[in-house]
Amino acid sequence: MKKWTKLLMIVLGAAMLSACGSVPEQETEKKLEKIELSVQKTEVDVDEALEITVSTTPKDIEIQTASFQKMDGAQIEKKEKKFVFKASKAGTYSVQVKQDAIDSNVLKIKAVDPKEKAEEEEEVAEDAAQSSQETAGQETGAQENQQVIVTGNGLPHNDPTWNAEAIADTVDVSSVMADPQRYMGQTMTIVGNLPQSAADSNGKYYTALYPDTNTNEGLRLSGA
């Protein structure tokens, strides 16, 4: 009898040891270390949905929608396991997650009113067009104010330095008549006497500029 009792105790002890060995070890709970938010763009229209990508360290830790910080005028919703940002009014919003004592980075998302955006773009285009017109007008005025040098045959000369020796702005008729080649093609003020009229050898009247009251020699003028 004692022999059977001893054998039964050994069997029961082995069974208990076997049962203890078969209990699985409890898995170590993952601890959240980092949260990273990212988006494809940082500017959207009002009421436009924008997906927010959430990455965690370690991976596959579930982030709760309630962990997103509240925003006045915008909200975060979870649709098909994706977080979606949507703003009901224009403005710049700060998107951030705070969970298990871990703060994510902050996303700055700007929501704009499509109508206001179109008006601003139109104003910018108009300002650019007006600026372009003003610049073109200034360039045209500068070209019109450029001095034109005229040669002896009355045609503009294509070389501004042609026969351009330094001369005074104002000269008298005698100086010009003494050395006409020096003054050819130059723009200047000539001082002299201007009688009402003079006649050539053919009896045709013309306008001339004389150095004094002597009307025998002078500069014959043409044009207005």
Side-chain angles (χ1 to χ4, degrees):
M1 184 69 178
K2 290 182 179 181
K3 192 174 183 178
W4 283 103
T5 302
K6 186 177 181 180
L7 180 60
L8 181 59
M9 291 177 65
I10 293 173
V11 173
L12 290 174
M16 291 178 65
L17 290 173
S18 177
C20 291
S22 64
V23 176
E25 295 183 359
Q26 294 183 351
E27 294 183 1
T28 303
E29 184 178 356
K30 293 182 179 180
K31 185 178 180 181
L32 182 62
E33 299 176 5
K34 183 179 180 181
I35 307 172
E36 186 73 22
L37 307 181
S38 61
V39 287
Q40 292 291 330
K41 57 183 179 179
T42 57
E43 182 174 316
V44 295
D45 292 338
V46 172
D47 293 329
E48 178 184 354
L50 176 65
E51 181 182 347
I52 298 179
T53 302
V54 181
S55 303
T56 62
T57 303
K59 295 181 179 180
D60 301 329
I61 293 182
E62 184 178 0
I63 297 298
Q64 304 297 325
T65 306
S67 297
F68 282 87
Q69 300 302 291
K70 292 184 178 180
M71 296 169 287
D72 183 18
Q75 61 181 359
I76 304 292
E77 296 180 350
K78 193 170 185 179
K79 297 181 179 179
E80 299 178 357
K81 298 182 180 181
K82 295 180 180 179
F83 294 102
V84 177
F85 167 90
K86 183 182 290 187
S88 59
K89 61 181 181 180
T92 300
Y93 298 91
S94 299
V95 181
Q96 187 179 28
V97 172
K98 294 186 178 182
Q99 183 170 309
D100 298 340
I102 301 297
D103 295 352
S104 74
N105 59 308
V106 179
L107 294 178
K108 293 290 186 179
I109 302 176
K110 183 179 180 181
V112 296
D113 188 310
K115 184 178 179 180
E116 293 179 356
K117 183 178 180 180
E119 292 176 351
E120 290 179 358
E121 291 177 348
E122 184 177 354
E123 290 179 0
V124 170
E126 290 177 354
D127 291 342
Q130 183 177 356
S131 177
S132 178
Q133 291 177 356
E134 291 176 353
T135 301
Q138 292 173 355
E139 292 177 352
T140 302
Q143 293 175 355
E144 291 176 350
N145 291 330
Q146 289 180 351
Q147 187 181 46
V148 178
I149 296 176
V150 180
T151 61
N153 60 8
L155 299 177
H157 200 282
N158 58 2
D159 184 359
T161 63
W162 178 79
N163 199 27
E165 297 181 15
I167 60 174
D169 292 335
T170 302
V171 296
D172 55 28
V173 177
S174 299
S175 298
V176 177
M177 293 178 63
D179 188 5
Q181 292 297 327
R182 180 186 178 194
Y183 300 98
M184 184 176 294
Q186 306 298 324
T187 300
M188 71 201 81
T189 299
I190 302 177
V191 179
N193 295 282
L194 187 66
Q196 292 183 348
S197 62
D200 59 16
S201 59
N202 296 322
K204 294 183 178 180
Y205 288 96
Y206 63 90
T207 304
L209 189 64
Y210 296 92
D212 48 39
T213 56
N214 181 8
T215 59
N216 292 328
E217 294 184 0
L219 293 178
R220 185 167 181 168
L221 306 180
S222 63

